[in-house]
Amino acid sequence: MKHNFGAGPCILPQEVFKQASAGVLNFNDTGLSILEISHRATEFIAVMDEAVSLVKELLNVPEGYSVLFLQGGASLQFAMVAMNLLGEGQTAAYLETGMWAKKALAEAKILGNVNVVATSKEANFNYIPKDYSIPADSAYFHVTSNNTIFGTQMQSFPQSPVAMVSDMSSDIFSREINVADFGLIYAGAQKNIGPAGATLVIVKDEILGKVYRQIPSMLNYKTHIEGESMYNTPPVFSVFVSMLNLRWLKAKGGVAQIQIENEAKAKALYTEIDRNPFFKGTTAVEDRSKMSVCFVMENPDHEKAFLKLAEEKGCVGIKGHRSVGGFRASLYNALPITSVHVLVDAMQEFEEKFKN
Ligand SMILES: *Cc1c(COP(=O)(O)O)cnc(C)c1O
């Protein structure tokens, strides 16, 4: 059995894989595959509608927001956010907390001015800056809620005088959030929602339409709001499997319940990282991510041997990103706590083997 700690694309529930496979062979008893039916078929429109309503229900999305399933990944949102919200001559505020934040602000710079209100670059992004102010004349304020590569997570969000935009690619649906605090939330599907291909966007309608540039149709949120995410062919399979996964989450008790489980998983792993003399965490303790747990070994020469031991126990996807090194265990919603226990056992076994 494999324990998949991969950062993305990543683990989804086994029962979702089974339902998805069944849909590939015979979708909803139509006698057709989900891969061959028209996206205009009533059966698929029902899938899209259910996916959108599950997002609204699970995150308590208030009135006045639109939920969209788009394409292009979170990376296209870096540009699309600026294209739709950053007018010529305006400045957008960015919190620079990692590689993805850097990429997001680089795209915005193409379209307008960017003000980095704070950065943790000088410390290889091992903490979340907290002392900064957001100018009230900013077009919007952009944050990355979970820094997938560096293993930090915003435990709370600041009061923003302007629309707050968050890249939530790697922690959406992992914990409760107050959508009303945000003007726009986006997330690539492949880290807690479903398979790669779809990108979830939740946008407050009233922040749109205030920029006087020509926006190509496909890059304009309004096109997709009017088209109900069906302006062109949507990523049918990704939306279908995302819907199945959100159904799974709802049946489990929703975001509040999964948050409790995610906290228990993170606690089990960080407790061992702090206890075991062979390992240490890489980030400020108060900013530790509950989704992306980064850790290294006291003696880097041990890393190869530990990786091998963990792999023998079925743990896959734990090699850290090259910019941090060491290890990264992603604890997405579908990862059971029993998998974390296997990893912790491997760490303890390593300690036994190599001590003195
Ligand atoms: C993975 C990731 C991205 C990139 O997502 P794509 O869908 O591949 O473009 C962006 N931001 C964060 C926080 C991520 O974890």
Side-chain angles (χ1 to χ4, degrees):
M1 180 183 170
K2 294 291 186 200
H3 304 283
N4 185 4
F5 292 92
C10 65
I11 186 168
L12 288 171
Q14 279 301 316
E15 59 182 274
V16 168
F17 288 142
K18 284 194 191 120
Q19 292 163 0
S21 324
V24 169
L25 296 174
N26 179 4
F27 169 62
N28 260 1
D29 283 327
T30 52
L32 296 171
S33 167
I34 183 70
L35 303 180
E36 66 182 335
I37 64 159
S38 164
H39 61 289
R40 307 282 176 200
T42 48
E43 291 89 349
F44 180 74
I45 292 172
V47 168
M48 181 64 92
D49 287 348
E50 186 174 347
V52 169
S53 28
L54 282 165
V55 170
K56 288 185 174 168
E57 183 182 343
L58 289 163
L59 294 177
N60 283 314
V61 177
E63 287 293 309
Y65 285 76
S66 296
V67 171
L68 305 171
F69 283 92
L70 307 181
Q71 302 191 64
S75 299
L76 182 58
Q77 291 308 305
F78 299 160
M80 205 163 150
V81 160
M83 194 163 266
N84 285 266
L85 303 178
L86 179 56
E88 224 177 297
Q90 285 190 309
T91 301
Y94 276 73
L95 186 61
E96 192 184 36
T97 52
M99 201 90 88
W100 297 116
K102 271 169 78 170
K103 288 193 169 164
L105 72 89
E107 293 296 301
K109 265 187 192 163
I110 297 171
L111 295 146
N113 303 317
V114 167
N115 169 17
V116 177
V117 295
T119 180
S120 48
K121 188 163 62 179
E122 81 291 347
N124 200 30
F125 300 114
N126 69 3
Y127 70 101
I128 306 269
K130 288 162 202 87
D131 265 340
Y132 54 84
S133 57
I134 307 153
D137 61 350
S138 310
Y140 58 86
F141 173 54
H142 182 282
V143 298
T144 312
S145 58
N146 186 66
N147 297 284
T148 327
I149 293 173
F150 295 95
T152 60
Q153 185 175 27
M154 297 178 77
Q155 307 301 331
S156 62
F157 295 91
Q159 284 293 327
S160 173
V162 295
M164 185 158 52
V165 174
S166 183
D167 176 358
M168 292 197 186
S169 292
S170 55
D171 69 351
I172 195 158
F173 295 112
S174 73
R175 57 172 174 174
E176 292 191 291
I177 50 159
N178 184 15
V179 174
D181 291 342
F182 300 89
L184 192 149
I185 292 168
Y186 63 89
Q190 69 277 13
K191 287 163 190 154
N192 237 351
I193 304 174
T199 310
L200 177 65
V201 172
I202 304 170
V203 59
K204 192 173 192 175
D205 300 321
E206 67 175 38
I207 70 171
L208 299 175
K210 298 189 174 157
V211 160
Y212 298 99
R213 73 161 57 81
Q214 288 259 331
I215 304 175
S217 310
M218 275 297 285
L219 299 177
N220 194 332
Y221 291 118
K222 289 196 156 182
T223 305
H224 300 289
I225 293 172
E226 277 154 29
E228 299 182 327
S229 299
M230 303 257 215
Y231 168 72
N232 69 327
T233 316
V236 170
F237 187 67
S238 180
V239 172
F240 172 58
V241 183
S242 298
M243 184 279 283
L244 295 174
N245 188 44
L246 295 175
R247 264 189 195 164
W248 170 86
L249 179 57
K250 182 180 169 183
K252 254 186 103 68
V255 176
Q257 178 57 33
I258 207 81
Q259 178 170 356
I260 293 170
E261 294 178 28
N262 288 334
E263 281 168 5
K265 289 186 293 185
K267 185 162 181 230
L269 186 50
Y270 283 120
T271 300
E272 180 61 16
I273 290 168
D274 291 340
R275 186 208 62 78
N276 192 316
F278 285 82
F279 297 90
K280 61 178 178 191
T282 59
T283 71
V285 171
E286 72 273 16
D287 299 325
R288 281 176 165 178
S289 168
K290 294 185 177 78
M291 284 286 106
S292 319
V293 179
C294 293
F295 56 103
V296 294
M297 296 192 80
E298 286 291 350
N299 177 356
D301 294 342
H302 279 151
E303 283 178 1
K304 248 193 168 147
F306 177 69
L307 188 64
K308 187 160 172 277
L309 176 72
E311 278 172 355
E312 279 163 15
K313 294 187 173 297
C315 297
V316 299
I318 63 166
K319 207 167 167 8
H321 190 274
R322 63 189 177 282
S323 52
V324 181
F327 304 98
R328 169 176 55 176
S330 303
L331 310 181
Y332 295 120
N333 287 354
L335 186 89
I337 193 161
T338 46
S339 292
V340 177
H341 292 154
V342 171
L343 181 59
V344 167
D345 285 348
M347 293 163 78
Q348 293 178 351
E349 199 175 308
F350 191 90
E351 179 190 15
E352 278 309 307
K353 238 166 140 172
F354 285 82
K355 75 178 172 199
N356 61 58

